Amino acid sequence: MQQAVNGSLSDPEKTYSIEHRVVRPDGTERVVHERGEVLFDQNRRPVRMIGMVHDITERKSGEEALKKAFEEIKELKEQLEAENIYLREEVQLKDGPGNIVGASNPLKYVLHRIQQVARSKTTVLLTGETGTGKGLFARSLHEASDRRDKPFVNVNCAGLPPNLIESELFGREKGAFTGSTARQIGRFELANSGTIFLDEIGEFPLELQAKLLKVIEDGEFERLGSPRAVKVDVRIIASTNRNLEEEIKKGRFRKDLFYRLNVFPVTIPPLRERREDILSS
């Protein structure tokens, strides 16, 4: 305020106009707009200053509310666009076989294990050879859970380029790196309130495993290029065809992340170990 007053007193061309906060004796706050004019004598010396004060508290509150509403609309628009892109990618998977067929004891045991853990928030690790249908069992687990009406987001960790996996999972801000022309919502935000399936977690880059561990432990992460934490409520299902304990010994997988993922392990048997299901299919 003092700078604005001094500027108007020193230069006839400068109009005094400023918005600022006023704290009343009772502690309440108001926002005012002051506008004034300085009268100068023939020697360009200030003689008097006249003006008025407007209480603009309600107007400022309305502007803040409108700004917040526009930000929420923008976030919803970005989320809807991300969901549309993801749903187009998932059409082929969703239109594929939705039922798990078989009546063998090994298969019945796997389905029993899935029913045991489905309604909890427990992280599940599905292990088994390539081609055993871990993705189908992950979706079955989601559909048996209380999150069945929320998103099920499938992430193929082996299929994502290493230089893009962080932005795909956690999102990015505009300008986070060369070629990043818009903010992108990551798969974890897209799966908020639902389930994320990290297929072939053994392929997950070592340098990003600490960030994944933070999501599991604290339920939050930062978008690429942003220091602000994003909170999410996501149920994690992971799968692998590798022996993660061997990967730990080789220094390719974090031990603490393995223990966080391996809370409820379920091994999917290959078809050769349940041959009676061949006739069932």
Side-chain angles (χ1 to χ4, degrees):
M1 285 176 61
Q2 192 61 54
Q3 288 177 350
V5 170
N6 292 340
S8 297
L9 292 176
S10 63
D11 186 352
E13 301 300 322
K14 284 188 177 180
T15 301
Y16 176 73
S17 178
I18 189 171
E19 293 180 5
H20 66 86
R21 181 175 59 102
V22 174
V23 182
R24 291 174 168 177
D26 63 0
T28 58
E29 297 181 4
R30 307 296 291 180
V31 180
V32 298
H33 176 220
E34 295 180 352
R35 183 177 178 84
E37 182 180 355
V38 181
L39 302 179
F40 293 85
D41 62 16
Q42 59 185 0
N43 296 317
R44 295 175 64 89
R45 289 180 302 190
V47 177
R48 72 173 62 172
M49 186 177 189
I50 58 175
M52 58 185 66
V53 179
H54 291 284
D55 186 334
I56 59 171
T57 305
E58 302 304 326
R59 192 193 81 191
K60 296 296 287 186
S61 297
E63 289 175 355
E64 288 298 321
L66 190 61
K67 181 181 177 182
K68 184 178 179 181
F70 275 125
E71 289 175 351
E72 290 176 351
I73 290 171
K74 182 181 178 182
E75 289 180 1
L76 289 172
K77 179 175 177 288
E78 290 173 346
Q79 175 121 8
L80 182 61
E81 289 174 349
E83 288 176 354
N84 285 338
I85 292 170
Y86 177 72
L87 287 173
R88 285 198 297 270
E89 294 173 352
E90 286 291 283
V91 165
Q92 184 175 359
L93 178 60
K94 285 193 173 184
D95 287 344
N99 296 320
I100 298 170
V101 179
S104 65
N105 288 331
L107 185 61
K108 286 179 180 178
Y109 179 70
V110 170
L111 295 175
H112 169 69
R113 293 277 288 169
I114 286 176
Q115 289 298 323
Q116 278 184 313
V117 77
R119 300 181 72 87
S120 71
K121 294 183 179 181
T122 304
T123 300
V124 177
L125 179 63
L126 302 175
T127 60
E129 299 175 10
T130 300
T132 51
K134 294 185 288 292
L136 287 176
F137 286 96
R139 188 175 291 276
S140 176
L141 200 160
H142 169 72
E143 290 174 353
S145 74
D146 295 334
R147 299 170 182 247
R148 66 180 69 87
D149 297 325
K150 302 298 181 181
F152 175 86
V153 176
N154 178 52
V155 180
N156 182 0
C157 297
L160 290 174
N163 61 326
L164 293 179
I165 191 168
E166 182 174 8
S167 63
E168 285 292 323
L169 282 180
F170 307 115
R172 65 171 184 261
E173 295 292 339
K174 181 179 179 180
F177 53 80
T178 303
S180 175
T181 58
R183 189 172 76 163
Q184 174 182 305
I185 291 177
R187 299 294 177 93
F188 269 96
E189 278 184 88
L190 194 58
N192 193 26
S193 301
T195 304
I196 190 166
F197 174 46
L198 302 176
D199 193 15
E200 299 305 343
I201 192 66
E203 306 286 342
F204 204 79
L206 185 63
E207 61 271 17
L208 292 180
Q209 290 178 21
K211 195 164 185 176
L212 178 58
L213 183 65
K214 181 177 175 61
V215 181
I216 298 174
E217 291 180 339
D218 303 331
E220 65 179 34
F221 59 89
E222 294 84 34
R223 290 195 194 102
L224 195 63
S226 171
R228 186 172 65 88
V230 178
K231 297 285 289 185
V232 289
D233 173 22
V234 176
R235 203 278 179 80
I236 296 176
I237 304 173
S239 78
T240 183
N241 62 1
R242 295 186 179 188
N243 185 329
L244 294 184
E245 291 178 290
E246 287 298 322
E247 295 296 300
I248 292 169
K249 293 177 183 178
K250 295 175 182 178
R252 294 199 290 250
F253 206 84
R254 291 177 63 112
K255 182 185 291 187
D256 49 3
L257 178 58
F258 171 69
Y259 287 128
R260 284 291 186 176
L261 293 172
N262 199 43
V263 177
F264 195 94
V266 178
T267 300
I268 313 299
L271 193 58
R272 66 176 178 275
E273 294 180 9
R274 47 187 182 90
R275 294 176 183 245
E276 57 267 46
D277 288 334
I278 297 175
L279 295 178
S280 301
S281 61

